Amino acid sequence: MTRVFDAPDRFADTALRGFCAAHADRVRAVPHGAVRAAPGPRGKVALLVGGGSGHYPAFLGYVGAGLADAAVAGDVFASPSAAWIHAIARAAHRGGGVILGFGNYAGDVLNFGAAAERLRAEGIDARILAVTDDVASAGPGERARRRGVAGDLAVFKIAGAAAEAGLDLDAVMAVAAKANGATVSFGVAFDGCTLPGQDRPLFTVEAGRVGLGLGIHGEPGISTRPMMPATELARTLLEPLLAERPAGHDGRVAAILNGLGRTKHEELFVLWHHLSGMLTEAGLTVVDPEVGEFVTSLDMAGCSLTLTWLDSELEGCWRAPADAPAFRKGAVARPQEAGAADDGGDGDDGGDGGDGGAAATEIARGSPAAREAGRRVAALIGRVAAALAEAEEELGRIDAQAGDGDHGQGMARGSAAAVAAADGAVAAGAGAGTVLSLAGDAWAERAGGTSGALWGAALRAWGQTLGDGGKPSARTVAQGARAAQDAIVRLGGARVGDKTLVDALAPFVEALTERVAAGDGLAAAWAAAAARSTEAADATAQLIPRLGRARPLAERSLGHPDAGAVS
């Protein structure tokens, strides 16, 4: 259990501040992340890595020479927002382009992708590096659908070394893509992890059994087996990786035996004793093995094994010197700390005093009717936030059955931020459209993750349809609902039947549109739509997920509704 915290929803931010204070000689704090205290040379390719908090040493611990130039930290197990990523990427940029590296989780894909688009629109060449090493989450033929777990370290280390060597952006990306394609991981869990402020773990493993194929966001594994001796456990970790040895490979590999937060180093060394012999028996030569904690999951009890099938280029990058707070290899000359005027290639560190880089919005004061509509929308957002705060624990419980357990927390945080933004817009005299749009932006910023990005996009699209001209008609509200659904589908790619929030939203939009067209008043039409949506959300329990948080668990999610559909 995570015991040391103040307010649970400030855990990640407080930990980030403490990390930066502890390593002030190596990193410089920026809102929601850190950059190197001594940046690389002008023209260097910058590597930004990141994702949710709760995984230290990933990702903050990898900021340093020979590895990452910057890291962005979301809330616990939640993707950082696109605005946070964008701001820190600008702070890290040295003129050679930026690579955005992350584990292949849906929220990260959405938010890092949106940040890359924003950077490109500003003339900064930004590339995406999604690590896909977890063999348990998809088969060899579906490599792009695999999660990123402890292989993050191997891929980031190799990419960072290539960037440090002065290769250009295309060349660094080619090396990074090769490293990702050559990296495989498999993990096991003995017990689950507990989010700050919660009194029970996201999942449990039955006493005397071990979970196989876990993720790093508190997801349970794909199956369980009886607990086994260390020799057999080592073989269980290794065999799925040996099955993916490239044809004709000469046998030189990088290896990482990773503890997930509550497995002692001595236990890992017992496993490595057996693994090192098994690797030799398999005809493999291990190059600079790493045994310890590298990508954790709060206080999860468990471990994972990662192999990277090396060639001469990858081996050179794996063995190259690095000097970061949580990972050091060889000897790196310590450059002098750069001054504030040399902090990011274009002199802009992306800082904004803590709001993640969001620019202040000019709010036009509307007519009396528009302002009244804005007040009513803000009041509705307040009711939504109250409902989500009350349901936070239940939504987390549902999500833990078929996902990573952070949905309730993210929805409570995001909706509370939306209330604050909506109230501020009302105070400035905004109409309904602006109130809803700014609330959506704040929701996305604070909630993070997949749902934060999707809700933010939906509310902004709905708000833009409503506009600020006065009281919206029932038909305009229904059109806004359709625009919100279209924004979610466009951004996330889900359709009805994929076991996501679209399964609940689409019936709502359909019913609302039908009832308004039939002449019902907005209140009656809305009630009918809500009833149909609730039925559809419950029905997701019987769906096998094809997209979203529950996809890696496949049939194991049967019988459990999707948390996004319920919220």
Side-chain angles (χ1 to χ4, degrees):
M1 179 178 292
T2 307
R3 297 178 174 85
V4 182
F5 55 88
D6 300 305
D9 65 346
R10 303 304 299 172
F11 176 81
D13 181 63
T14 309
L16 168 61
R17 293 170 185 267
F19 166 81
C20 292
H23 298 286
D25 61 328
R26 296 170 180 272
V27 302
R28 179 168 60 86
V30 293
H32 311 296
V35 298
R36 293 188 194 181
R42 296 284 183 180
K44 177 188 177 298
V45 172
L47 173 63
L48 179 151
V49 301
S53 296
H55 305 301
Y56 192 84
F59 299 90
L60 293 165
Y62 300 149
V63 176
L67 227 163
D69 295 88
V72 56
D75 286 308
V76 176
F77 296 168
S79 169
S81 74
W84 299 359
I85 299 162
H86 166 264
I88 297 175
R90 282 181 55 85
H93 184 230
R94 302 297 296 165
V98 182
I99 294 174
L100 307 179
F102 53 91
N104 189 39
Y105 286 83
D108 293 316
V109 171
L110 292 176
N111 284 296
F112 280 85
E117 290 183 0
R118 185 169 168 183
L119 290 164
R120 292 177 196 130
E122 296 172 352
I124 297 175
D125 195 349
R127 309 290 180 87
I128 292 295
L129 174 57
V131 180
T132 56
D133 59 304
D134 177 28
V135 303
S137 55
E142 296 182 298
R143 181 68 194 238
R145 301 183 70 180
R146 286 180 170 175
R147 300 176 293 201
V149 287
D152 286 354
L153 171 60
V155 176
F156 296 159
K157 168 63 183 70
I158 290 169
E164 204 74 31
L167 276 63
D168 66 20
L169 186 58
D170 288 336
V172 175
M173 274 304 300
V175 172
K178 181 164 62 170
N180 185 49
T183 300
V184 287
S185 300
F186 186 79
V188 300
F190 315 121
D191 197 11
C193 60
T194 305
L195 294 173
Q198 299 299 308
D199 60 1
R200 61 178 63 92
L202 293 174
F203 74 92
T204 58
V205 178
E206 185 181 347
R209 299 188 70 84
V210 57
L212 306 184
L214 67 134
I216 58 168
H217 287 173
E219 313 99 313
I222 57 176
S223 64
T224 65
R225 289 185 190 173
M227 193 59 194
M228 58 196 80
T231 305
E232 188 177 344
L233 184 61
R235 196 173 305 280
T236 298
L237 289 168
L238 180 59
E239 285 181 345
L241 309 187
L242 294 179
E244 299 204 11
R245 178 174 180 170
H249 188 265
D250 68 4
R252 294 182 69 80
V253 295
I256 301 169
L257 180 59
N258 173 60
L260 284 158
R262 212 189 330 154
T263 302
K264 303 299 293 182
H265 280 69
E266 286 88 347
E267 295 176 277
L268 296 176
F269 291 140
V270 169
L271 275 175
W272 186 251
H273 165 72
H274 297 298
L275 283 166
S276 59
M278 293 175 185
L279 289 161
T280 300
E281 290 174 5
L284 303 182
T285 300
V286 180
V287 178
D288 289 358
E290 297 287 348
V291 178
E293 290 187 342
F294 302 101
V295 181
T296 62
S297 185
L298 285 177
D299 61 335
M300 185 184 291
C303 57
S304 64
L305 178 65
T306 298
L307 296 181
T308 299
W309 310 99
L310 299 174
D311 61 14
S312 59
E313 182 178 42
L314 297 182
E315 181 172 339
C317 290
W318 172 245
R319 304 189 73 172
D323 186 7
F327 188 87
R328 302 177 190 176
K329 189 185 288 287
V332 174
R334 296 289 296 275
Q336 295 296 312
E337 181 175 341
D342 187 34
D343 64 359
D346 55 11
D348 181 356
D349 70 358
D352 58 295
D355 70 356
T361 302
E362 197 75 33
I363 296 177
R365 189 169 181 82
S367 67
R371 296 198 301 272
E372 176 60 22
R375 282 192 290 271
R376 289 175 179 264
V377 168
L380 288 171
I381 294 170
R383 293 174 63 183
V384 170
L388 287 171
E390 183 177 352
E392 177 179 351
E393 183 175 350
E394 176 65 7
L395 290 172
R397 184 195 64 77
I398 295 171
D399 193 35
Q401 299 293 332
D404 53 24
D406 67 344
H407 184 72
Q409 186 180 76
M411 289 296 93
R413 284 195 303 253
S415 59
V419 169
D423 289 346
V426 167
T434 295
V435 170
L436 196 54
S437 296
L438 294 180
D441 292 347
W443 193 312
E445 287 272 332
R446 191 67 186 99
T450 309
S451 293
L454 295 176
W455 275 74
L459 295 183
R460 172 157 280 279
W462 207 332
Q464 290 174 337
T465 302
L466 293 185
D468 294 320
K471 179 183 177 180
S473 67
R475 187 174 300 276
T476 301
V477 172
Q479 290 170 343
R482 178 73 65 186
Q485 178 184 329
D486 290 345
I488 286 174
V489 170
R490 185 170 59 252
L491 184 60
R495 300 289 191 274
V496 172
D498 286 338
K499 195 165 187 173
T500 72
L501 69 87
V502 173
D503 288 287
L505 179 59
F508 174 87
V509 173
E510 180 181 359
L512 181 65
T513 303
E514 290 174 355
R515 300 315 309 162
V516 167
D520 287 1
L522 182 57
W526 191 283
R532 191 181 300 183
S533 176
T534 300
E535 294 174 1
D538 292 340
T540 65
Q542 304 309 316
L543 295 173
I544 296 176
R546 294 193 293 267
L547 287 174
R549 62 175 60 78
R551 183 194 61 76
L553 299 182
E555 286 83 356
R556 285 200 61 189
S557 74
L558 277 173
H560 302 289
D562 176 70
V566 174
S567 66

